[in-house]
Amino acid sequence: MSRTIPASLIASTTAPQLSPFFATSLDFDAGTVRYWTGYGTITIGSATYAGIGAFSSISTIEETEDLSARGLMIDLTGVPNDLVSAALNEPYQGRTAAVRFGTLNADTGAVIESITIFSGRMDTMAISNDGKSANIGVSVESKLVDFQRTRESRYTHEEQLRRYPSDMGLEYVAGLQDKVIYWGNANATAFRTGGGGNANQITDEPY
């Protein structure tokens, strides 16, 4: 999140006419969807945001001195079918979501300035549809949650290749799990195949 507020944004928020807005971006496999609390489209940087009128609500954004992971809830109303389809059919958990705050020029409608006020990862989505309009509630986790997750690394061939693609040092680890080794005698293991004995019986043969 930005630690400084651009002078142009500060000036626009103290002007006689204030035109603030919120904008959100949600990442999916098919691409990033972007919406803002207005009508028509606006451009921030090189990204275009489609207007959906207004968000139902954005929960309070908190930041604590002890670096606690505080999440965010975004309720979107009147969302288009493409977002509903993405929410229903595409994996979204762990994907990036961000909320921006900015101001518009009251005369031209152009974006004066905006900043990211929250960035995290999508957790859950609740979808409601009454046949006329669809509402989506998006729960977003702070990226600080990543520090609370356990990191596991295992001594397996697959894990070693993931970290070092050309390292075959653990190639035979899986086969060692059930391997029986008789230390010190190369002829120690033999199998009986006749005489009524157990075909899997292990016997010790002298040199």
Side-chain angles (χ1 to χ4, degrees), residues 1-3 25-27 61-63 67-72 92-100 116-123 139-151:
M1 188 175 68
S2 301
R3 290 291 185 256
S25 58
L26 308 173
D27 289 340
I61 299 174
E62 299 181 65
E63 186 171 335
L67 296 180
S68 299
R70 302 297 177 89
L72 181 71
Y92 58 82
Q93 287 189 322
R95 303 298 178 87
T96 301
V99 176
R100 300 182 69 89
T116 299
I117 57 175
F118 188 89
S119 180
R121 302 187 187 283
M122 289 185 281
D123 184 22
S139 173
V140 184
E141 293 181 333
S142 167
K143 290 182 179 179
L144 291 175
V145 171
D146 287 346
F147 292 106
Q148 301 175 359
R149 293 191 173 100
T150 303
R151 264 57 173 180

Side-chain angles (χ1 to χ4, degrees), residues 3 12 34 41 54 63 69 75 77 106 120-121 123 130 135 137 144 158 166 173 192-193 195 203:
R3 290 291 185 256
S12 63
R34 300 178 177 91
T41 60
E63 186 171 335
D75 288 325
T77 61
R121 302 187 187 283
D123 184 22
D130 60 6
N135 301 332
L144 291 175
E158 292 75 16
S166 61
V173 166
R192 287 182 181 175
T193 58
T203 62

Side-chain angles (χ1 to χ4, degrees), residues 18-35:
L18 176 62
S19 299
F21 69 88
F22 288 98
T24 184
S25 58
L26 308 173
D27 289 340
F28 292 94
D29 280 349
T32 302
V33 294
R34 300 178 177 91
Y35 301 104

Side-chain angles (χ1 to χ4, degrees), residues 1-206:
M1 188 175 68
S2 301
R3 290 291 185 256
T4 59
I5 301 176
S8 57
L9 182 58
I10 295 176
S12 63
T13 57
T14 57
Q17 288 184 303
L18 176 62
S19 299
F21 69 88
F22 288 98
T24 184
S25 58
L26 308 173
D27 289 340
F28 292 94
D29 280 349
T32 302
V33 294
R34 300 178 177 91
Y35 301 104
W36 73 288
T37 53
Y39 298 96
T41 60
I42 60 173
T43 301
I44 301 175
S46 59
T48 299
Y49 291 73
I52 59 173
F55 300 161
S56 291
S57 65
I58 298 177
S59 63
T60 302
I61 299 174
E62 299 181 65
E63 186 171 335
T64 61
E65 294 182 356
D66 61 358
L67 296 180
S68 299
R70 302 297 177 89
L72 181 71
M73 190 69 188
I74 306 171
D75 288 325
L76 305 175
T77 61
V79 297
N81 291 333
D82 57 347
L83 179 55
V84 175
S85 177
L88 290 173
N89 301 312
E90 295 190 29
Y92 58 82
Q93 287 189 322
R95 303 298 178 87
T96 301
V99 176
R100 300 182 69 89
F101 169 78
T103 55
L104 301 175
N105 185 298
D107 296 323
T108 65
V111 176
I112 296 175
E113 187 59 84
S114 70
I115 59 172
T116 299
I117 57 175
F118 188 89
S119 180
R121 302 187 187 283
M122 289 185 281
D123 184 22
T124 60
M125 286 190 186
I127 304 172
S128 61
N129 193 332
D130 60 6
K132 297 180 180 179
S133 63
N135 301 332
I136 295 180
V138 185
S139 173
V140 184
E141 293 181 333
S142 167
K143 290 182 179 179
L144 291 175
V145 171
D146 287 346
F147 292 106
Q148 301 175 359
R149 293 191 173 100
T150 303
R151 264 57 173 180
E152 293 185 354
S153 181
R154 302 180 183 277
Y155 288 103
T156 64
H157 178 54
E158 292 75 16
E159 176 72 7
Q160 192 71 359
L161 289 180
R162 185 185 67 80
R163 300 179 64 186
Y164 308 102
S166 61
D167 190 343
M168 306 298 288
L170 301 181
E171 182 179 6
Y172 300 106
V173 166
L176 293 176
Q177 296 182 32
D178 301 316
K179 188 74 172 179
V180 179
I181 300 175
Y182 291 86
W183 193 260
N185 188 344
N187 300 318
T189 302
F191 292 88
R192 287 182 181 175
T193 58
N198 187 340
N200 295 321
Q201 182 177 354
I202 298 175
T203 62
D204 291 338
E205 299 291 344

